[in-house]
Amino acid sequence: MLHTFAKLIRTTTTLSKSKLLHHHKTLTTTTTTTSKDEYFAAIQHVANIVRRDFYLERTLNKLRITITPELVFRVLRACSSSPIESLRFFNWAQSLHHHPPYTPTSVEFEEIVTILANSNNYQTMWSIIHQMTHHHHLSLSPSAVSSLIESYGRHRHIDQSVQLFNKCKIFNCPQNLQLYNSLLFALCESKLFHAAYALIRRMLRKGISPDKHTYALLVNAWCSSGKMREAQQFLKEMSDKGFTPPVRGRDLLIEGLLNAGYIESAKGMVRKMVKEGIIPDVGTFNALMESICKCGEDEVKFCIELYHELCKLGMVPDVNTYKILVPAVSKIGFMDEAFRLLNNFSEEGNRPFPSLYAPVMKALFKRGQFDDAFCFFADMKVKGHPPNRPLYTMLITMCGRGGRFVDAANYLFEMTEIGFVPISRCFDMVTDGLKNCGKHDLAKRVQQLEVSIRGV
């Protein structure tokens, strides 16, 4: 495969700039599938060289490629886990022997800065920032400065976070809500709660109103340290000052407990809200469901009971609610409940999508209810969104495991008629299965289909 990629890159002199695509902000959808595949294969090949070749500059010099901002950005993104190699590639791209010469834009500049910051290479990062700002007159955007503040915080360099926040004006970045939230994150990462609270008071004095993220950062930090009382007191004090959070304080506390791993405490708070007739935010409910559905059959039962209780109180589930509950109940074999949830989803005006009804089909297959699964699939093709390639792959695989090789072959032909290419494993499994059960003519047709698709 690498030989094929290398051959592709060596022939890129015939590719114009349009073949290597324009800057990602002006990327159009008129490129054919084949040329896109070739382009991304070329990017992957360059990225492999950057990550693995000790003499990457020498190897890259042998490739006749047009260096564009789009190409540099995508290679940097693909090599984000290799900071030193990414920097070497970025410097190579700026070398003078390229025709036409490559000039960095703010997008690649911010990407390499972020890569170096995330890997704790701050000295090199500042050298790049100095080089780019003085020689190319580029500047960091507020979102990039925000990312650097958070990176310092993650590495417990709180002094540098504060210094960068105070010096953000040299990048022409105003101290807006985004930067305040980033510094608040850095303070919370170092457990400096009193300093974080002082920062919020400073925000209020500056006339900057906190948003949900602001509240959630501090509440999550309090809860992760087991300081529930402080979190509740903070929310109450902010409410007394007239700064009510965008969602109820209890919802923030529940999410904070979940993020800190205190699942039982979060469940207890939700039970108390239900007894009082209070409906939690649907996002909070989804977060709770996602956390506890992984803990076994009893917890899934609790989720279903809570779902029905809250629906009676007036909660309106969203798509994410069903994306969590339907696979969970299907996995433990509650098929009636899975169909009931899908029916509720449809009655709300939605069309089931493949990742929603695939778990139900898989559960039916595992129970040996192949005919029911086939009828359900036929129904979903009419009432839901069209099936995708992963769904057909799962369908063929489950048929093969159950010895239903004729059905597997039929679905193999069906997916190719739609335009999906089956994976090699599906062809091999169906062909071998048909031969073993005496269906040699059908096995030959499957082999002919594979040859016509793959040309092998």
Side-chain angles (χ1 to χ4, degrees):
M1 183 177 287
L2 286 178
H3 175 73
T4 305
F5 288 166
K7 183 179 178 182
L8 168 66
I9 293 208
R10 293 191 186 100
T11 59
T12 51
T13 49
T14 61
L15 295 176
S16 63
K17 274 191 175 181
S18 61
K19 286 282 181 120
L20 284 174
L21 301 181
H22 296 295
H23 192 275
H24 74 283
K25 289 185 178 179
T26 58
L27 183 64
T28 62
T29 58
T30 57
T31 312
T32 63
T33 303
T34 303
S35 61
K36 280 186 177 180
D37 290 344
E38 292 173 350
Y39 171 68
F40 288 112
I43 287 176
Q44 188 60 41
H45 181 60
V46 173
N48 286 336
I49 292 173
V50 173
R51 285 192 296 258
R52 301 171 184 173
D53 198 320
F54 188 79
Y55 301 102
L56 65 92
E57 292 87 356
R58 184 180 66 184
T59 305
L60 291 171
N61 284 333
K62 297 177 182 178
L63 306 180
R64 297 191 295 265
I65 57 175
T66 303
I67 306 299
T68 64
E70 165 72 10
L71 179 72
V72 175
F73 171 75
R74 290 193 179 275
V75 173
L76 289 175
R77 178 64 62 88
C79 300
S80 58
S81 59
S82 305
I84 302 304
E85 290 76 10
S86 296
L87 179 61
R88 288 172 62 187
F89 169 73
F90 185 66
N91 290 333
W92 170 83
Q94 298 177 73
S95 56
L96 299 176
H97 67 271
H98 297 302
H99 298 287
Y102 161 72
T103 302
T105 68
S106 59
V107 179
E108 308 95 78
F109 169 43
E110 292 181 2
E111 182 65 24
I112 189 64
V113 166
T114 302
I115 290 172
L116 293 171
N118 290 339
S119 61
N120 214 358
N121 289 306
Y122 293 106
Q123 185 174 355
T124 307
M125 178 196 77
W126 282 110
S127 299
I128 290 292
I129 291 175
H130 184 270
Q131 175 189 345
M132 291 293 106
T133 52
H134 285 77
H135 293 89
H136 296 281
H137 307 291
L138 297 174
S139 183
L140 293 173
S141 65
S143 60
V145 176
S146 172
S147 177
L148 294 186
I149 293 173
E150 292 182 7
S151 180
Y152 273 125
R154 274 189 289 269
H155 293 116
R156 302 296 191 273
H157 301 316
I158 189 60
D159 291 338
Q160 287 82 352
S161 290
V162 175
Q163 290 173 9
L164 181 56
F165 177 81
N166 290 331
K167 293 192 304 183
C168 66
K169 291 183 179 178
I170 66 175
F171 299 110
N172 297 319
C173 295
Q175 291 182 344
N176 56 16
L177 178 61
Q178 184 182 19
L179 292 186
Y180 271 102
N181 283 343
S182 296
L183 183 56
L184 185 64
F185 168 83
L187 292 169
C188 290
E189 283 288 296
S190 298
K191 309 298 182 186
L192 299 174
F193 301 116
H194 294 294
Y197 195 43
L199 180 66
I200 290 180
R201 289 198 297 267
R202 177 181 171 180
M203 287 175 59
L204 301 180
R205 289 197 303 271
K206 295 279 188 179
I208 299 175
S209 299
D211 61 357
K212 178 186 176 181
H213 188 50
T214 310
Y215 287 96
L217 282 170
L218 197 48
V219 170
N220 287 343
W222 283 123
C223 292
S224 64
S225 299
K227 300 179 182 293
M228 274 289 295
R229 184 177 300 175
E230 287 83 349
Q232 291 173 324
Q233 187 176 355
F234 162 69
L235 290 171
K236 184 178 183 304
E237 185 175 338
M238 294 298 287
S239 180
D240 292 341
K241 290 181 179 180
F243 292 93
T244 305
V247 293
R248 288 186 298 276
R250 287 192 188 186
D251 290 313
L252 286 174
L253 288 174
I254 293 169
E255 292 182 22
L257 289 169
L258 291 172
N259 292 331
Y262 297 109
I263 296 177
E264 290 301 323
S265 298
K267 286 170 61 178
M269 186 169 287
V270 172
R271 285 194 191 99
K272 186 177 179 181
M273 291 177 68
V274 173
K275 287 181 181 178
E276 296 174 1
I278 300 173
I279 305 173
D281 178 74
V282 67
T284 303
F285 173 77
N286 291 342
L288 179 64
M289 297 299 100
E290 191 169 15
S291 297
I292 66 179
C293 275
K294 305 170 185 176
C295 300
E297 183 174 328
D298 292 337
E299 298 297 346
V300 175
K301 290 179 181 178
F302 168 81
C303 292
I304 292 299
E305 292 171 2
L306 184 61
Y307 163 81
H308 289 300
E309 287 183 39
L310 289 174
C311 286
K312 289 178 182 177
L313 289 175
M315 185 189 77
V316 180
D318 61 6
V319 174
N320 290 325
T321 307
Y322 294 100
K323 286 170 70 176
I324 296 167
L325 289 179
V326 172
V329 297
S330 300
K331 188 174 182 179
I332 63 173
F334 287 8
M335 303 313 300
D336 291 341
E337 192 61 48
F339 288 123
R340 190 178 296 115
L341 288 170
L342 279 175
N343 184 60
N344 292 346
F345 183 74
S346 300
E347 286 182 350
E348 291 170 8
N350 303 303
R351 295 179 64 197
F353 40 88
S355 61
L356 190 64
Y357 57 80
V360 181
M361 292 175 56
K362 191 171 185 178
L364 290 171
F365 284 131
K366 286 184 175 181
R367 293 161 63 94
Q369 298 175 246
F370 285 88
D371 293 334
D372 291 337
F374 297 150
C375 291
F376 175 69
F377 180 50
D379 193 39
M380 286 296 102
K381 285 192 288 187
V382 175
K383 297 180 180 178
H385 288 280
N388 54 19
R389 185 171 182 251
L391 180 64
Y392 272 109
T393 302
M394 183 272 293
L395 186 59
I396 294 167
T397 301
M398 298 306 289
C399 286
R401 290 177 182 174
R404 306 286 290 256
F405 294 107
V406 175
D407 293 311
N410 290 333
Y411 287 119
L412 197 67
F413 288 117
E414 182 179 307
M415 71 180 293
T416 55
E417 289 173 0
I418 297 174
F420 298 130
V421 179
I423 61 177
S424 300
R425 177 173 56 80
C426 287
F427 278 114
D428 295 340
M429 180 186 65
V430 173
T431 303
D432 293 342
L434 289 171
K435 288 179 179 178
N436 290 335
C437 64
K439 304 289 184 179
H440 296 284
D441 292 339
L442 188 55
K444 187 176 180 180
R445 284 183 56 199
V446 172
Q447 288 178 321
Q448 291 172 346
L449 176 65
E450 183 178 16
V451 170
S452 67
I453 291 175
R454 304 189 185 280
V456 292

